[in-house]
Amino acid sequence: MPLNRRTFLGTSAAAGAGVAIVGGAAGPAAAHGHGHGRPPKRYSFTVMGTTDLHGNVFNWDYFTDKEFDDKAHNDVGLAKISTLVDQVRREKGRHNTLMIDAGDTIQGTQLSYYYAKIDPITAKRGPVHPMAQAMNAIGYDAAALGNHEFNYGIPVLRKFEEQCDFPLLGANALDAKTLRPAFAPYVIKKLRTPHGRDVKVAILGLTNPGIAIWDKANVGGKMVFPGLEEQAAKYVPRLRSMGADVVIVSAHSGSSGTSSYGDQIPYVENAAGLVAEQVPGIDAILVGHAHSEIPEYFVENKQTGKKVVLSEPLKWGQRLTLFDFDLVWEKGRWVVEKAGSQVLNSNTVAEDPKITKMLADEHTKVVAYVNQVIGTSTAAMTTAEAAWKDEPIIDLINVVQAETVKAALAGGEYAALPVLSQASCFSRTAQIPAGSVTIKDAAGLYPFENTLEARLLTGAQIKDYLEFSARYYVQTAAGAPVDTAKLTNADNTPDYNYDAVSGLTYDIDIAKPNGSRIVGLSFEGKAIDPAAQFVLAVNNYRASGGGNFPHVPAAKQLWANSEEIRNTIISWVQAKGSVDGAEFASVDWRLTRDGSPVF
């Protein structure tokens, strides 16, 4: 769908999202005397925040088709958040609260997938997105854009934006041609106090520069995403000059100061802490993107020495952040005297029936969709041990990808080259049962909206790639006990950034240091030729630099398509009718120590 400038920039982007009055007269904080004359005027309010909701409305796991649960017994979804929000509003007074989000809203569950792809919100007289319905009902005041907002393309995002009763903010999401904001950069909300002077609260939205890499196919030539610090430094003084008493940043960016994409773009991925440190005039930052729980964290601004409070409410609606602000009237203006934060756990409350009833039909439709039988399997397969063993269920992803790429290259210049394939263990609870296989089973193997590409690499580059991947394992001396709970995720490497590559055989010697772990790398029984050419079937996240794996982003692209790998797997199972692991399962790699297998 072509974008003209009017639809692309939206209606109010360049000027921010405007000013809104919230509520009527509100109760003051407790007054304390200053020792002379009348006690100063005081006012307190609370800003609630969520992040990384990823399409979760119900406390439901569509991949297992039952209530969500994990080891920590977390609950998920906006229906739970709604109950917490109502409790806070009752306690604080509805007019003394605001509600914001830090992005990654419309991707992540089969509920959100269904309304992007199966019954799309972009269709003529299409449905209203369940996330828009739920967030509107809860009464959000603003939400920052996350990187996953762009996964389904700009038209879906624009339709979602249109359906929301609150602005989607992205001060660093710019029109590639005009370099003007493509979304509202900020919104200013007014809170009425009993003292005659409203409190003006500015909410500045910042998104992740990595969108330029991860969703290049959707945003290339249309949008650019400069660094968070740069755009915050531009807007915060402007908001203060507009009379903002309190400035809150909603940032889809973690607090660690690190990036997963190396030097491919000059902007930091997890920059929330740097924004607090470098940009004066910010009172609080709602942190997102990293899927971490940060109840309260203070960062000192280098220029002013003032402490900025940061909080991140985990993910999926598992927590709700509360920022509490105490203000005092000084020299004709409101000044933040104290700011702090905490998180509430959504597993302490029941789902709000207002939300669950409103979206019961949508939920029922999606449950029926994911339970459609698409084939059978001769044996059960699971990812339970796939993070440290070559398991048939990961081989299934690789065989589908390799076959798809081979078919795409057939008859062309590169048809004779061997095709290798990479896959990750995205979830340690995915399974293909023996007997009937449903959409949810196949989709559970691949929870991300990644698409497939073919890139041209040499044997030497493949070895570098595997060495980089093998950093995932904690170095473990020969003879030392092996605890699988402590063996993986070295240096906080997530499971989705460990790749197994099929079409080769190799050992990973975990007794050796990083960079020298790949042993006996062979192709068709012979040591790999460093100069030989191979085609790597690779997902678009990895191909565009996600995880910062070497060589692939710069490698020649031989083919790419826009079909999600998840759907390719579903179609493959449907076409086969029956999945037989014996036909494709093989142990291509194993963990060793000094030549001895670990398992």
Short mmCIF file of all heavy atoms in Angstrom, two decimals, residues 8 17 55 80 231 234 263 296 303 330 346 356 376 388 408 452 471 484 496 523 540 586 596:
data_model
loop_
_atom_site.label_atom_id
_atom_site.label_comp_id
_atom_site.label_asym_id
_atom_site.label_seq_id
_atom_site.Cartn_x
_atom_site.Cartn_y
_atom_site.Cartn_z
N PHE A 8 0.95 9.33 5.89
CA PHE A 8 2.19 8.91 6.54
C PHE A 8 2.47 9.74 7.79
O PHE A 8 2.78 9.23 8.84
CB PHE A 8 3.35 9.04 5.54
CG PHE A 8 4.66 8.59 6.11
CD1 PHE A 8 4.87 7.25 6.37
CD2 PHE A 8 5.65 9.50 6.39
CE1 PHE A 8 6.07 6.83 6.89
CE2 PHE A 8 6.85 9.07 6.91
CZ PHE A 8 7.06 7.73 7.16
N ALA A 17 0.98 15.79 20.45
CA ALA A 17 -0.40 15.33 20.46
C ALA A 17 -1.32 16.28 21.19
O ALA A 17 -2.45 15.96 21.49
CB ALA A 17 -0.46 13.94 21.09
N GLY A 55 0.49 -8.14 22.70
CA GLY A 55 -0.76 -8.78 22.30
C GLY A 55 -1.47 -9.57 23.38
O GLY A 55 -2.36 -10.37 23.08
N LYS A 80 -5.99 -8.29 33.58
CA LYS A 80 -5.45 -8.22 34.94
C LYS A 80 -4.98 -6.79 35.26
O LYS A 80 -5.24 -6.27 36.35
CB LYS A 80 -4.27 -9.19 35.09
CG LYS A 80 -4.68 -10.65 35.02
CD LYS A 80 -4.68 -11.25 36.41
CE LYS A 80 -5.12 -12.70 36.39
NZ LYS A 80 -5.07 -13.30 37.72
N GLN A 231 17.21 12.98 20.45
CA GLN A 231 15.85 13.52 20.35
C GLN A 231 15.31 13.99 21.69
O GLN A 231 14.57 14.97 21.76
CB GLN A 231 14.92 12.46 19.73
CG GLN A 231 15.23 12.14 18.28
CD GLN A 231 15.21 13.35 17.37
OE1 GLN A 231 16.25 13.83 16.92
NE2 GLN A 231 14.03 13.86 17.08
N LYS A 234 16.53 17.38 22.29
CA LYS A 234 15.83 18.36 21.46
C LYS A 234 14.47 18.73 22.08
O LYS A 234 14.09 19.91 22.11
CB LYS A 234 15.62 17.76 20.06
CG LYS A 234 14.78 18.61 19.12
CD LYS A 234 14.63 17.92 17.77
CE LYS A 234 13.66 18.66 16.86
NZ LYS A 234 13.50 17.98 15.56
N ASP A 263 28.02 -2.07 15.60
CA ASP A 263 28.19 -0.72 15.05
C ASP A 263 27.45 -0.53 13.73
O ASP A 263 27.76 0.37 12.95
CB ASP A 263 29.69 -0.42 14.86
CG ASP A 263 30.37 -1.43 13.96
OD1 ASP A 263 29.68 -2.34 13.45
OD2 ASP A 263 31.59 -1.32 13.77
N GLU A 296 12.36 0.15 40.90
CA GLU A 296 12.79 1.53 41.09
C GLU A 296 14.30 1.60 40.94
O GLU A 296 15.04 0.81 41.53
CB GLU A 296 12.41 2.02 42.51
CG GLU A 296 12.78 3.46 42.80
CD GLU A 296 12.37 3.88 44.21
OE1 GLU A 296 12.90 3.29 45.18
OE2 GLU A 296 11.52 4.78 44.34
N GLN A 303 24.68 16.66 34.40
CA GLN A 303 24.73 18.12 34.34
C GLN A 303 24.15 18.77 35.59
O GLN A 303 24.71 19.73 36.11
CB GLN A 303 23.94 18.59 33.10
CG GLN A 303 24.27 20.01 32.68
CD GLN A 303 23.66 20.32 31.32
OE1 GLN A 303 23.69 19.50 30.41
NE2 GLN A 303 23.09 21.50 31.18
N GLU A 330 6.39 26.51 44.43
CA GLU A 330 7.52 27.38 44.80
C GLU A 330 7.75 28.42 43.73
O GLU A 330 7.83 28.08 42.55
CB GLU A 330 8.81 26.54 44.96
CG GLU A 330 8.93 25.81 46.27
CD GLU A 330 10.24 25.04 46.37
OE1 GLU A 330 11.07 25.11 45.43
OE2 GLU A 330 10.44 24.35 47.39
N SER A 346 0.52 -8.49 38.70
CA SER A 346 -0.84 -8.75 38.23
C SER A 346 -1.38 -10.10 38.68
O SER A 346 -2.57 -10.37 38.53
CB SER A 346 -0.92 -8.62 36.70
OG SER A 346 -0.19 -9.64 36.07
N THR A 356 -12.76 -8.84 29.80
CA THR A 356 -12.92 -10.21 29.28
C THR A 356 -14.26 -10.38 28.56
O THR A 356 -14.34 -11.09 27.55
CB THR A 356 -12.79 -11.25 30.41
OG1 THR A 356 -13.72 -10.94 31.45
CG2 THR A 356 -11.38 -11.27 30.97
N THR A 376 -0.58 -34.75 11.13
CA THR A 376 -0.29 -35.66 12.24
C THR A 376 1.21 -35.80 12.40
O THR A 376 1.99 -35.47 11.50
CB THR A 376 -0.89 -37.05 12.00
OG1 THR A 376 -0.34 -37.58 10.78
CG2 THR A 376 -2.41 -37.00 11.90
N TRP A 388 20.64 -27.34 24.61
CA TRP A 388 21.96 -27.97 24.74
C TRP A 388 22.10 -29.29 23.99
O TRP A 388 23.12 -29.94 24.03
CB TRP A 388 22.34 -28.16 26.22
CG TRP A 388 21.33 -28.92 27.03
CD1 TRP A 388 21.22 -30.26 27.17
CD2 TRP A 388 20.25 -28.36 27.82
NE1 TRP A 388 20.16 -30.60 27.98
CE2 TRP A 388 19.56 -29.45 28.41
CE3 TRP A 388 19.83 -27.06 28.09
CZ2 TRP A 388 18.46 -29.26 29.24
CZ3 TRP A 388 18.74 -26.88 28.92
CH2 TRP A 388 18.05 -27.96 29.49
N ALA A 408 13.31 -22.24 -4.01
CA ALA A 408 13.34 -20.86 -4.51
C ALA A 408 14.52 -20.62 -5.45
O ALA A 408 14.43 -19.84 -6.41
CB ALA A 408 13.40 -19.88 -3.34
N LEU A 452 11.94 -15.35 5.81
CA LEU A 452 13.10 -16.16 5.42
C LEU A 452 13.89 -15.49 4.30
O LEU A 452 13.31 -14.91 3.38
CB LEU A 452 12.63 -17.54 4.98
CG LEU A 452 13.68 -18.62 4.73
CD1 LEU A 452 14.49 -18.90 6.00
CD2 LEU A 452 13.00 -19.91 4.25
N ARG A 471 29.20 -18.69 21.99
CA ARG A 471 29.43 -17.89 23.21
C ARG A 471 28.28 -18.04 24.20
O ARG A 471 28.40 -17.64 25.36
CB ARG A 471 29.55 -16.40 22.84
CG ARG A 471 30.63 -16.09 21.81
CD ARG A 471 30.78 -14.61 21.58
NE ARG A 471 29.49 -13.94 21.49
CZ ARG A 471 29.32 -12.62 21.61
NH1 ARG A 471 30.36 -11.85 21.84
NH2 ARG A 471 28.12 -12.08 21.50
N THR A 484 22.52 -28.15 33.76
CA THR A 484 21.92 -27.53 32.58
C THR A 484 21.25 -26.19 32.91
O THR A 484 21.10 -25.34 32.04
CB THR A 484 20.89 -28.46 31.92
OG1 THR A 484 19.92 -28.86 32.89
CG2 THR A 484 21.57 -29.68 31.33
N TYR A 496 17.07 -16.92 21.93
CA TYR A 496 16.87 -16.63 20.51
C TYR A 496 18.13 -16.10 19.83
O TYR A 496 18.15 -15.93 18.61
CB TYR A 496 15.68 -15.68 20.29
CG TYR A 496 15.82 -14.30 20.91
CD1 TYR A 496 16.65 -13.33 20.37
CD2 TYR A 496 15.09 -13.97 22.05
CE1 TYR A 496 16.76 -12.07 20.93
CE2 TYR A 496 15.20 -12.71 22.63
CZ TYR A 496 16.04 -11.77 22.07
OH TYR A 496 16.16 -10.53 22.63
N PHE A 523 31.71 -30.84 6.26
CA PHE A 523 30.60 -30.85 5.31
C PHE A 523 30.73 -32.13 4.48
O PHE A 523 31.78 -32.39 3.89
CB PHE A 523 30.63 -29.61 4.42
CG PHE A 523 29.61 -29.64 3.32
CD1 PHE A 523 28.25 -29.56 3.62
CD2 PHE A 523 29.98 -29.78 2.00
CE1 PHE A 523 27.29 -29.61 2.62
CE2 PHE A 523 29.04 -29.83 0.99
CZ PHE A 523 27.68 -29.74 1.30
N ASN A 540 15.02 -13.05 8.80
CA ASN A 540 15.31 -11.64 8.47
C ASN A 540 15.88 -10.88 9.66
O ASN A 540 16.64 -9.92 9.50
CB ASN A 540 14.06 -10.93 7.95
CG ASN A 540 12.99 -10.77 9.03
OD1 ASN A 540 12.58 -11.75 9.65
ND2 ASN A 540 12.55 -9.55 9.27
N SER A 586 18.58 -35.54 12.67
CA SER A 586 19.98 -36.00 12.67
C SER A 586 20.76 -35.20 13.70
O SER A 586 20.44 -34.03 13.95
CB SER A 586 20.61 -35.81 11.28
OG SER A 586 20.62 -34.44 10.94
N SER A 596 35.22 -35.37 24.60
CA SER A 596 34.20 -36.26 25.19
C SER A 596 32.84 -35.58 25.19
O SER A 596 32.73 -34.43 25.64
CB SER A 596 34.58 -36.62 26.63
OG SER A 596 35.81 -37.28 26.66
#
